[in-house]
């Protein structure tokens, strides 16, 4: 339950914001991290940014998600008998 | 990366060779439990380093009595239950929320979604199933404050929120305590700050090291723990980079403090722990599901034969439970540690006890 996903803040309006992770966008709250600015990368948990993280840290997670997605796609193909 | 893993592993191995009895480290966080299995960490560790899965999965530590109250509320015609997906399959006395097949049970991704439901259905009371540790508590607090500010009177929460540190202290206070150190949760510590573990280190002299969820971070965390034990200098440390600071997320903690106060509450397997559960402050009475529905007492019950309590305290490994993998599997779960994907039993089962 305590998983968190890094995403970049692309819009900000009061304590609401739009965040982007690998092209996926969603509305989040930045109530817990009022110092956040557009362009910052945050960890998102249950719809709330909980802290700012650095680019390098976020990049590692995004790459991992890509690997998992590629793996899942591959597995699906095997399941469907395409490979 | 591989060099760092190898270095950490060598440190752990060298220190474990010098100790007489195994070093037992409890990982407190359910997300760590799963990551440890997923990365095959146990296979990299010497026999003399034993990992114990602690009470860190919010679903697992939620008492059955709480589930029964949620079930009762779900069976009313004037309610909508808004819950994180994790809770939907946890069995109470009379089945799980999922097994009710009622369309007033809604899975939401955030407290904001719960509040939105309340605005959309003003004729129903929307009860948010508020479970979890310091990571999920601030969103619950914000939702209640928002509901109060916007006058959304039909929104309320059933608080089962829990505090990590008092539970760690309670585990160490028992006569069965065999925990030498804690691998502390990553994201809970983002909110709490690593200084929060000071009482554990001061009172019980056990190392507390915060780690992230990658293999290298968990191994480096374990290496630091071993080093502290070898040096006889238990301390607070963190290998989770910039995300965890000594003081944590001060804004989030203030928001929790403003809405909630600690009370005595039941944890599954651990019983009632003083000051380790959170209830809404009196000023938010009308948003407190217990008060709104006049629920006086939340009963404490455990499924018969279930060893989740012992497992959550690190006293038993899942395969030591007579029902593990037989009567109790992820498809037919009896205890919460098998229901939750972050539960120790589910992780052991899924990863074949590596």
């Amino acid at each position: 339950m305590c998983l968190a996903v890094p995403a970049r803040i692309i819009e900000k309006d009061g304590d609401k914001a739009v965040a982007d992770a690998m092209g996926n966008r969603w509305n989040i709250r930045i109530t817990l991290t009022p110092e956040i600015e557009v362009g910052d990368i945050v960890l998102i948990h249950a719809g709330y940014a909980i802290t700012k993280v650095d680019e390098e840290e976020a990049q590692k997670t995004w790459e991992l998600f890509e690997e998992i997605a590629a793996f899942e796609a591959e597995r699906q193909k095997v399941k469907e008998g395409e490979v | 990366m591989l060099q760092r893993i190898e270095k950490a592993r060598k440190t752990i191995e060298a220190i474990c060779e010098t100790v007489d009895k195994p070093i037992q480290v409890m990982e407190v966080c359910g997300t760590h439990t799963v990551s440890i299995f997923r990365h095959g960490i146990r296979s990299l560790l010497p026999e003399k380093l034993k990992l114990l899965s602690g009470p860190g999965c919010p679903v697992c530590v939620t008492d059955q009595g709480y589930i029964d109250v949620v079930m009762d509320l779900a069976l009313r015609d004037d309610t909508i239950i808004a819950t994180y997906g994790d809770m939907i399959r946890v069995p109470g006395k009379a089945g799980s929320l999922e097994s009710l097949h009622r369309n007033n049970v809604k899975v939401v991704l955030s407290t904001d979604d719960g509040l939105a439901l309340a605005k959309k259905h003003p004729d129903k009371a929307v009860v948010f199933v508020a479970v979890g540790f310091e990571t999920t508590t601030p969103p619950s607090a914000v939702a209640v404050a928002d509901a109060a500010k916007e006058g959304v009177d039909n929104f309320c929460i059933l608080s089962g929120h829990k505090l990590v540190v008092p539970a760690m202290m309670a585990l160490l206070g028992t006569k069965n305590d065999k925990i030498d150190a804690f691998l502390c949760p990553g994201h809970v510590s983002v909110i709490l700050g690593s200084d929060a573990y000071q009482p554990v280190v001061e009172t019980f002299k056990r190392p507390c090291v915060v780690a992230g969820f990658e293999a290298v971070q968990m191994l480096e965390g374990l290496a630091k723990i071993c080093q502290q034990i070898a040096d006889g200098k238990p301390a607070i440390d963190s290998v989770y980079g910039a995300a965890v600071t000594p003081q944590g997320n001060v804004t989030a903690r203030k928001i929790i403090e403003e809405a909630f106060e600690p009370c005595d509450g039941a944890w599954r397997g651990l019983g009632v722990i003083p000051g380790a559960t959170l209830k809404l402050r009196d000023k938010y009475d009308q948003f407190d599901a217990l008060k709104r529905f006049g629920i006086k007492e939340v009963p404490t019950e455990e499924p018969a034969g279930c060893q989740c309590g012992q497992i959550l305290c690190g006293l038993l490994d899942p395969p030591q439970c007579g029902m593990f993998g037989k009567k109790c599997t992820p498809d037919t779960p009896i205890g919460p540690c098998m229901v939750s994907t972050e539960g120790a039993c589910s992780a052991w089962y899924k990863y074949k006890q590596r």
Side-chain angles (χ1 to χ4, degrees):
Chain A
M1 190 178 263
C2 296
L3 266 182
V5 182
R8 191 185 302 277
I9 301 292
I10 52 170
E11 280 173 38
K12 177 182 158 180
D13 177 17
D15 73 343
K16 297 189 167 74
V18 178
D20 176 297
M22 306 159 69
N24 299 308
R25 291 187 177 187
W26 62 101
N27 297 317
I28 63 156
R29 296 284 290 267
I30 52 170
T31 326
L32 312 178
T33 52
E35 70 283 2
I36 289 304
E37 297 296 341
V38 170
D40 285 345
I41 300 174
V42 292
L43 275 183
I44 300 174
H45 174 76
Y48 281 73
I50 57 170
T51 188
K52 198 170 148 173
V53 285
D54 59 33
E55 187 95 33
E56 194 194 347
E57 190 90 7
Q59 207 59 46
K60 277 192 291 189
T61 311
W62 290 332
E63 277 165 20
L64 186 66
F65 284 152
E66 265 168 15
E67 264 178 52
I68 293 169
F71 174 73
E72 285 299 329
E74 187 82 0
R75 209 167 64 153
Q76 198 57 33
K77 274 189 195 167
V78 172
K79 233 180 171 177
E80 289 164 7
E82 285 177 26
V83 177
Chain B
M1 179 83 83
L2 279 175
Q3 278 171 339
R4 276 169 63 194
I5 288 179
E6 199 45 28
K7 188 173 167 227
R9 208 179 62 80
K10 280 196 171 136
T11 304
I12 294 168
E13 212 156 68
I15 291 169
C16 283
E17 268 171 29
T18 66
V19 294
D20 304 330
K21 62 179 187 63
I23 298 174
Q24 312 214 61
V25 180
M26 176 172 275
E27 86 270 1
V28 186
C29 171
T31 311
H32 270 151
T33 301
V34 173
S35 288
I36 284 165
F37 278 104
R38 189 177 289 144
H39 293 292
I41 300 283
R42 277 187 168 80
S43 65
L44 296 176
L45 300 176
E47 266 180 30
K48 276 193 183 162
L49 182 65
K50 188 163 166 19
L51 294 174
L52 310 171
S53 301
C57 148
V59 177
C60 306
V61 298
T62 301
D63 191 71
Q64 189 176 314
Y66 177 95
I67 311 281
D68 290 338
V69 170
V70 175
M71 295 285 286
D72 286 346
L73 292 174
L75 288 169
R76 295 173 62 114
D77 291 328
D78 57 350
T79 58
I80 292 174
I81 306 295
T83 175
Y84 292 124
D86 313 50
M87 293 299 286
I88 199 109
R89 292 186 61 222
V90 186
K93 260 202 313 261
S96 64
L97 284 173
E98 189 179 50
S99 73
L100 290 179
H101 298 292
R102 281 176 66 91
N103 57 14
N104 68 334
V105 177
K106 309 282 185 198
V107 171
V108 294
L109 296 175
S110 71
T111 51
D112 283 21
D113 294 348
L115 199 54
L117 274 174
K119 289 177 191 168
K120 200 174 152 194
H121 301 279
D123 54 326
K124 304 273 185 194
V126 171
V127 183
F128 186 80
V129 181
V131 297
F133 299 105
E134 286 85 344
T135 41
T136 51
T137 311
S140 294
V142 173
V144 168
D146 283 357
K149 202 162 62 191
E150 298 171 30
V152 189
D153 295 338
N154 62 325
F155 179 78
C156 62
I157 71 166
L158 184 66
S159 177
H161 284 304
K162 305 250 181 280
L163 300 168
V164 166
V165 177
M168 290 164 69
M169 298 287 280
L171 279 175
L172 295 179
T174 66
K175 63 177 191 299
N176 289 326
D177 160 26
K178 52 178 186 175
I179 304 157
D180 293 310
F182 287 105
L183 191 67
C184 297
H187 295 137
V188 162
S189 303
V190 167
I191 305 288
L192 272 184
S194 52
D195 278 354
Y197 303 105
Q198 199 61 44
V200 179
V201 174
E202 258 170 31
T203 312
F204 293 103
K205 314 280 179 248
R206 314 289 164 94
C208 285
V209 178
V210 179
F213 302 96
E214 287 172 45
V216 62
Q217 290 171 324
M218 290 184 288
L219 281 166
E220 285 180 345
L222 291 170
K224 278 197 185 282
I225 285 172
C226 289
Q227 194 63 57
Q228 287 185 18
I229 289 174
D231 297 344
K233 288 181 183 156
I236 290 171
D237 208 337
S238 169
V239 292
Y240 197 18
V244 173
T245 58
Q247 72 279 9
N249 184 329
V250 178
T251 307
R253 285 215 317 280
K254 266 193 197 143
I255 287 172
I256 296 177
E257 171 91 26
E258 198 265 334
F260 289 100
E261 60 184 317
C263 64
D264 303 346
W267 288 55
R268 195 182 291 256
L270 285 80
V272 173
I273 305 178
T277 297
L278 289 174
K279 63 170 184 178
L280 277 177
R281 290 188 181 276
D282 291 345
K283 64 176 175 179
Y284 288 133
D285 267 1
Q286 71 177 113
F287 301 103
D288 187 332
L290 286 180
K291 288 176 181 153
R292 176 182 288 255
F293 295 99
I295 301 161
K296 291 273 180 300
E297 205 180 341
V298 180
T300 310
E301 289 194 41
E302 307 266 335
C306 175
Q307 301 289 345
C308 281
Q310 302 274 312
I311 289 161
L312 289 169
C313 297
L315 298 174
L316 289 181
D317 283 335
Q320 290 173 279
C321 169
M323 300 198 289
F324 176 81
K326 298 181 190 110
K327 265 170 87 177
C328 186
T329 69
D331 289 330
T332 55
I334 291 169
C337 298
M338 189 61 93
V339 178
S340 167
T341 51
E342 293 191 344
C345 296
S346 156
W348 277 79
Y349 188 90
K350 192 166 162 195
Y351 295 95
K352 302 288 179 225
Q353 307 169 31
R354 251 190 298 179

